[in-house]
Amino acid sequence: MKLGQATIKDIARELNVSSSTVSRALKDYPGISDETKRRVKELADKLNYRPNAVALSLRKSKSFTIGVIIPEVVHFFFSTVISGIEEVAFSNGYNVILCQTNERLDREKSSIDTMLSNQIDGLLVSFSKETTEFDHFSKLMDLDFPIVFFDRLPEIPNAVNVTVNDFEGAYQAVKHLLEQGYKRIVHLAGPSNLAISKKRKEGYLKALAEAGIEADESLIIECPGGNEKESFDVTKQLFENEKNRPDAIFAHHDIVAAGAMMALKSLDLRIPEDVGLVGYSNWQFSSMIDPPLSTVSQPGFKIGETAITMLLEMIDKKRDYKSEPVQVVLDTELLVRKSSVRI
Amino acid sequence: MKLGQATIKDIARELNVSSSTVSRALKDYPGISDETKRRVKELADKLNYRPNAVALSLRKSKSFTIGVIIPEVVHFFFSTVISGIEEVAFSNGYNVILCQTNERLDREKSSIDTMLSNQIDGLLVSFSKETTEFDHFSKLMDLDFPIVFFDRLPEIPNAVNVTVNDFEGAYQAVKHLLEQGYKRIVHLAGPSNLAISKKRKEGYLKALAEAGIEADESLIIECPGGNEKESFDVTKQLFENEKNRPDAIFAHHDIVAAGAMMALKSLDLRIPEDVGLVGYSNWQFSSMIDPPLSTVSQPGFKIGETAITMLLEMIDKKRDYKSEPVQVVLDTELLVRKSSVRI
DNA sequence: TTGTATGCGTTATCAC
DNA sequence: GTGATAACGCATACAA
C-alpha cells in the first residue's frame, strides 16, 4: 500500500464520534441514528474511504483470497481454466493469487508455503509433472484445509477433484478412427506417471479390444515432452518405412498431433486419405491448421468454474466434502474435423 | 485461513519467554543468546511455524503483493506476459493477484478497487478496449501509487510503460511484403481507439509511402472483433471480385490472419503464390498452419519481466520514475515463413 | 444510540 | 539479554 488512505479512525475523529460508531454506521447496523449514518457515509464517500481488506483478514481470520497452483500459464487449456476460476472468484468477491510451477516440485512446495503465509482460504491445484508424492497436500487436507484438485489427480484418498473423462474421450476418439476404417492406429502417449495419460491409453486399448484388434505395443509411443519436435521425429521414424505402415494416429495432445501432422506431410502422406489423425485438448490452432485437426475437446472453462465453486462451498462449509468426498468428471466432446474423415 | 497455525505467541508461551524475544530470535537479531535462539528456532520448526503475512502487511503497510489487470487470460500473448510477470514476482518474494477485465471498463474499475482494498503495493495494467478515459489510473498516480502500463498505452502524461515497437514491426512486415513483389496490400486493422492499432497502421502507411505507393483507403479495413469469422467474411468479400484484386494482406493479429487465410483458401487462391499474408503476435499455432504464417513476434515474456522489474523499482524507490518517466519500447521480430515468400 | 476495551499476529520502542 | 507496551485497521462484547 502507499496511498494515504482514509481509515475509520479518520472519519471518527473528524465527526467527533467513536470508531465503533463509524464502523457500525458504515454497515447499517441497527441502533445507529439515521442522522449519524448519513453523516458518516457522506464523509466516507468524500474521503473515498475503502475498507482495509488486510485488517479485515487479520480480524476475521479470512482473506477472501484463494490460491491457484498451475504448471504453466502459457498453455491454452490452463489459461482457459484460469479464466473460469477468475470469473467465479470475482463474482463471489474472492481474489485469486496465481502461481505457476513450471512443472517443478520445489516451486510447487514453496508456492504453497507463500500462499499459506498469505492466509489463503483455499487452494486449487493442478500439480507438476515432477510431483509423485503428495504429503505436502495431504498434510493440509488432514488439517481440514480446503483443496480442490483439477485436471491432474493425486494419489490421495478422498481428494476432492474435477477432471474430465479421459478414458471415455480417448475411447471415443479411437472408436471414431476405427469407424473410419483405419486399422493400425498409433498412440502417441503422455508421460506415464500422470493419471490422465494412463486413462487415455486405457481408452485407446478398450476401443481396439472392442473392435477385436490386438494391441501392438510397438504402436504405443510415449511423447513426454509434449512438443512438436519430439512427435515430429517419432512420427517420421515410424512412418518412413512403407512396410506395415500404420494408418492413423491418436495423439494425447494437439501439439503432439501438430508435430505428427508435419512429419506426415514431410513424407508426402495425405491426411486423411493415407493417415487419419486425432489430437486432444482442442487448442485454439487446431481448427486453423490444414487439414483442420479432429480432437477431443476438454471443457477448460467449466473445469475452472466447477473447481472453484466446489472450493467455495468447502470454505463456506455449505457441504461437507469430508464425509461425502466428491469426484466430478466432466464430459469431453469429440470434435470431428477433416483430419480423420475419409468416408 | 483455516489451519490452526502456530503463532509467535504459541512459541513464547511454551518456552516461557516473551513474544518479542521469539520475534527477535527468529530473525537473528543481535542481543539474543545463542541458547534462546536455538530453542526458539527448534520449536518453531517443530510447530511448523509460518509467519502470518497478513499481520505483517498490516504492521508494515506493505503486502508484497502486486495486482495485474489484463483484458483476457486466454490470449497467447497475454498469457506469455503473465508468465514473465509471475517469474520475476516469485523470485523477488512478491505475490501476484490476477484480474481479467474481459475488455470491460466497469470490471477494470471494480477490480482495481478490490485490489487497492487488499493493499497491493503496485499495479501492472493493460487496460480494456472500452477504456477511453484514464482518471481511475491518473488519480492513483497523482498519489504516487506505482503503476506500470504494458502493451496498451494510456493517454496520461508521464505514464511509465512498456510496449513493443508496433510502428517498426508493422513497417518491417509490409516492407517485406513489398520486397516480395506484392503490390496491393490490404491492412486488416485493429480497433482504432487503441494506440497499438494506430501505430501498426502508421507503419503500414510508411512502408507504402517509401515504396512510392499511394495508400488506398479502401484497402484498410478495421477488424475490431479480432476473431476468425469477422476477418473471414471481410476477406472473402474483398477478394471475391477478380477485378483489381489485392495481392497481399497484413493483418494486425494472427487470429485475424488465420481467418483471412481460410477465406483465401475457400476462394481457391494460393498462398503465397497468389496472395501473400503476414500476421502479428506469433501465436502458438502460427507455425503450424498450412502454409506456416509469417508474423511479427512480440516478446511477451520479456514485456512481463520488464514491466514488473520497473514496478518493483518504483515500489522500492530505487529509481525516481516521477522525475524521470520511462517508456520502454521493446523490439519486435519479423518471422518470415512460407505465407509471404514467393521469390 | 453511542462509547470503551480487547484482540487478530507482528514488530518497534522503550524500559529493565 | 529480555520483557512490557503500543500500534497497524477493524469488529465486536460489554457498558453506559
Side-chain angles (χ1 to χ4, degrees):
Chain A
M1 105 136 162
K2 193 108 203 304
L3 319 158
Q5 265 298 331
T7 72
I8 280 189
K9 278 188 189 172
D10 297 325
I11 300 179
R13 198 177 319 117
E14 189 138 342
L15 256 38
N16 271 318
V17 295
S18 74
S19 357
S20 18
T21 302
V22 175
S23 171
R24 289 185 276 234
L26 286 172
K27 340 197 69 174
D28 277 327
Y29 261 52
I32 298 284
S33 73
D34 288 351
E35 171 61 7
T36 310
K37 279 188 192 169
R38 196 189 49 72
R39 291 174 60 218
V40 166
K41 289 184 175 173
E42 222 171 80
L43 184 57
D45 224 44
K46 186 178 147 213
L47 296 182
N48 194 18
Y49 169 77
R50 197 184 280 117
N52 182 325
V54 168
L56 278 170
S57 295
L58 187 57
R59 181 72 230 274
K60 303 231 174 186
S61 296
K62 170 146 171 71
S63 63
F64 284 96
T65 299
I66 65 128
V68 176
I69 301 263
I70 220 149
E72 302 232 34
V73 178
V74 186
H75 214 288
F76 184 67
F77 172 68
F78 285 129
S79 67
T80 320
V81 178
I82 294 174
S83 183
I85 293 172
E86 214 274 330
E87 281 313 305
V88 176
F90 179 81
S91 64
N92 284 74
Y94 275 77
N95 291 108
V96 172
I97 293 191
L98 184 71
C99 283
Q100 63 180 337
T101 61
N102 290 323
E103 304 282 8
R104 283 178 44 192
L105 178 58
D106 58 335
R107 267 296 279 277
E108 185 170 294
K109 285 184 174 169
S110 68
S111 291
I112 291 177
D113 247 39
T114 328
M115 289 178 157
L116 289 177
S117 273
N118 281 277
Q119 313 301 109
I120 49 168
D121 295 329
L123 199 52
L124 294 176
V125 177
S126 184
F127 51 81
S128 84
K129 283 185 188 165
E130 279 183 15
T131 307
T132 51
E133 50 86 17
F134 301 91
D135 284 4
H136 50 304
F137 297 122
S138 49
K139 259 187 216 156
L140 295 175
M141 293 165 61
D142 289 344
L143 295 168
D144 264 352
F145 186 78
I147 302 185
V148 174
F149 294 88
F150 62 91
D151 191 46
R152 304 184 182 177
L153 269 189
E155 285 160 14
I156 303 176
N158 296 341
V160 176
N161 58 60
V162 182
T163 52
V164 294
N165 196 334
D166 280 296
F167 174 80
E168 185 70 15
Y171 167 73
Q172 296 291 352
V174 177
K175 190 174 159 208
H176 159 69
L177 283 170
L178 290 164
E179 284 167 358
Q180 291 291 320
Y182 299 105
K183 297 246 172 336
R184 277 181 63 74
I185 303 175
V186 173
H187 179 35
L188 300 179
S192 55
N193 67 320
L194 289 189
I196 48 174
S197 306
K198 289 184 207 153
K199 291 275 177 60
R200 291 176 197 176
K201 182 172 160 185
E202 286 166 18
Y204 162 83
L205 292 173
K206 181 187 172 201
L208 291 189
E210 261 189 22
I213 298 181
E214 201 175 337
D216 177 347
E217 274 299 327
S218 73
L219 295 185
I220 301 177
I221 301 171
E222 217 172 293
C223 292
N227 55 62
E228 305 155 57
K229 170 119 192 39
E230 180 188 51
S231 62
F232 181 92
D233 294 342
V234 164
T235 307
K236 189 142 187 182
Q237 205 194 326
L238 205 59
F239 283 76
E240 237 157 15
N241 198 336
E242 272 190 53
K243 203 187 136 193
N244 217 3
R245 183 145 63 190
D247 61 0
I249 297 176
F250 168 55
H252 83 279
H253 192 133
D254 279 5
I255 298 272
V256 171
M261 183 181 283
M262 291 196 280
L264 295 173
K265 285 186 182 179
S266 78
L267 293 168
D268 283 327
L269 290 165
R270 292 166 309 161
I271 308 166
E273 294 82 353
D274 302 324
V275 183
L277 184 54
V278 177
Y280 212 104
S281 267
N282 192 27
W283 283 55
Q284 211 159 13
F285 68 83
S286 308
S287 59
M288 303 186 205
I289 58 181
D290 191 21
L293 180 65
S294 296
T295 190
V296 177
S297 137
Q298 300 166 288
F301 194 85
K302 191 158 180 203
I303 291 176
E305 281 183 332
T306 310
I308 189 169
T309 302
M310 289 168 63
L311 185 69
L312 294 182
E313 283 177 5
M314 290 169 74
I315 291 172
D316 297 341
K317 301 196 200 286
K318 279 196 193 139
R319 280 172 71 181
D320 183 3
Y321 283 90
K322 189 120 189 181
S323 67
E324 166 224 351
V326 176
Q327 271 94 39
V328 172
V329 178
L330 299 176
D331 281 341
T332 57
E333 188 187 357
L334 177 65
L335 302 179
V336 176
R337 303 203 182 103
K338 238 182 173 176
S339 71
S340 63
V341 178
R342 72 168 170 192
I343 56 177
Chain B
M1 103 136 165
K2 194 110 202 301
L3 319 159
Q5 264 298 333
T7 72
I8 280 190
K9 279 188 188 172
D10 297 325
I11 300 179
R13 198 178 318 117
E14 189 138 341
L15 256 39
N16 270 319
V17 293
S18 73
S19 348
S20 351
T21 301
V22 175
S23 172
R24 287 186 277 234
L26 286 172
K27 336 196 72 171
D28 278 326
Y29 262 52
I32 298 283
S33 74
D34 288 350
E35 171 61 8
T36 310
K37 278 189 193 169
R38 198 189 49 71
R39 290 174 60 217
V40 167
K41 288 185 177 173
E42 220 171 82
L43 185 57
D45 224 44
K46 186 177 148 215
L47 296 182
N48 192 19
Y49 169 76
R50 197 184 279 117
N52 183 327
V54 168
L56 276 171
S57 295
L58 186 58
R59 183 74 231 272
K60 304 229 174 185
S61 296
K62 169 144 172 74
S63 63
F64 284 95
T65 299
I66 64 130
V68 176
I69 301 264
I70 220 147
E72 301 232 35
V73 178
V74 186
H75 214 289
F76 184 69
F77 172 68
F78 284 129
S79 67
T80 319
V81 178
I82 294 175
S83 183
I85 293 172
E86 213 275 330
E87 281 313 306
V88 176
F90 178 81
S91 64
N92 283 74
Y94 275 78
N95 291 107
V96 172
I97 293 191
L98 185 72
C99 283
Q100 63 180 337
T101 60
N102 290 323
E103 303 283 9
R104 284 178 43 191
L105 178 57
D106 58 335
R107 267 297 277 279
E108 185 169 294
K109 285 184 174 169
S110 67
S111 292
I112 291 177
D113 247 39
T114 328
M115 288 179 157
L116 289 178
S117 274
N118 280 276
Q119 312 301 109
I120 50 168
D121 295 330
L123 201 51
L124 294 176
V125 178
S126 184
F127 52 82
S128 84
K129 284 185 188 166
E130 280 182 14
T131 308
T132 50
E133 50 86 16
F134 301 91
D135 284 4
H136 50 306
F137 297 121
S138 49
K139 259 187 216 157
L140 295 175
M141 292 165 62
D142 288 344
L143 295 168
D144 264 351
F145 186 78
I147 303 185
V148 174
F149 295 88
F150 61 91
D151 191 48
R152 304 186 182 176
L153 269 190
E155 285 160 15
I156 303 176
N158 296 341
V160 176
N161 58 61
V162 183
T163 51
V164 294
N165 196 335
D166 280 297
F167 173 79
E168 186 68 16
Y171 168 73
Q172 295 292 351
V174 177
K175 191 174 157 206
H176 159 70
L177 284 170
L178 291 164
E179 284 168 358
Q180 290 291 320
Y182 299 105
K183 297 247 174 331
R184 278 181 63 74
I185 303 175
V186 172
H187 178 35
L188 300 179
S192 55
N193 66 319
L194 290 188
I196 48 173
S197 306
K198 289 184 208 155
K199 291 275 177 60
R200 291 176 196 175
K201 183 172 159 186
E202 286 166 18
Y204 161 83
L205 292 173
K206 182 188 172 199
L208 292 188
E210 260 190 23
I213 297 181
E214 201 175 338
D216 178 346
E217 275 299 328
S218 73
L219 294 185
I220 302 177
I221 302 171
E222 217 172 293
C223 291
N227 55 63
E228 304 155 58
K229 171 120 190 35
E230 181 188 51
S231 62
F232 181 93
D233 294 342
V234 164
T235 307
K236 188 140 186 182
Q237 205 194 327
L238 205 57
F239 282 78
E240 238 157 14
N241 198 335
E242 270 189 53
K243 203 186 134 194
N244 218 0
R245 184 145 63 190
D247 62 0
I249 297 176
F250 167 55
H252 82 280
H253 192 133
D254 279 4
I255 297 271
V256 171
M261 184 181 283
M262 293 196 278
L264 295 174
K265 285 186 182 178
S266 77
L267 293 169
D268 282 328
L269 290 165
R270 291 166 310 159
I271 308 166
E273 293 83 353
D274 302 324
V275 183
L277 186 53
V278 178
Y280 211 104
S281 269
N282 192 26
W283 283 55
Q284 212 158 13
F285 68 83
S286 308
S287 59
M288 303 184 203
I289 58 180
D290 190 22
L293 180 66
S294 295
T295 189
V296 178
S297 136
Q298 300 166 288
F301 194 86
K302 189 156 181 209
I303 291 176
E305 281 182 333
T306 309
I308 188 169
T309 302
M310 289 168 64
L311 185 68
L312 294 182
E313 284 178 4
M314 290 169 75
I315 292 172
D316 297 340
K317 299 194 201 289
K318 279 196 195 141
R319 281 172 71 180
D320 184 3
Y321 283 91
K322 190 119 187 180
S323 67
E324 166 224 350
V326 175
Q327 272 93 40
V328 173
V329 178
L330 299 176
D331 280 340
T332 57
E333 187 187 358
L334 177 64
L335 302 179
V336 176
R337 303 203 182 101
K338 238 182 175 176
S339 71
S340 63
V341 178
R342 72 167 170 192
I343 56 176

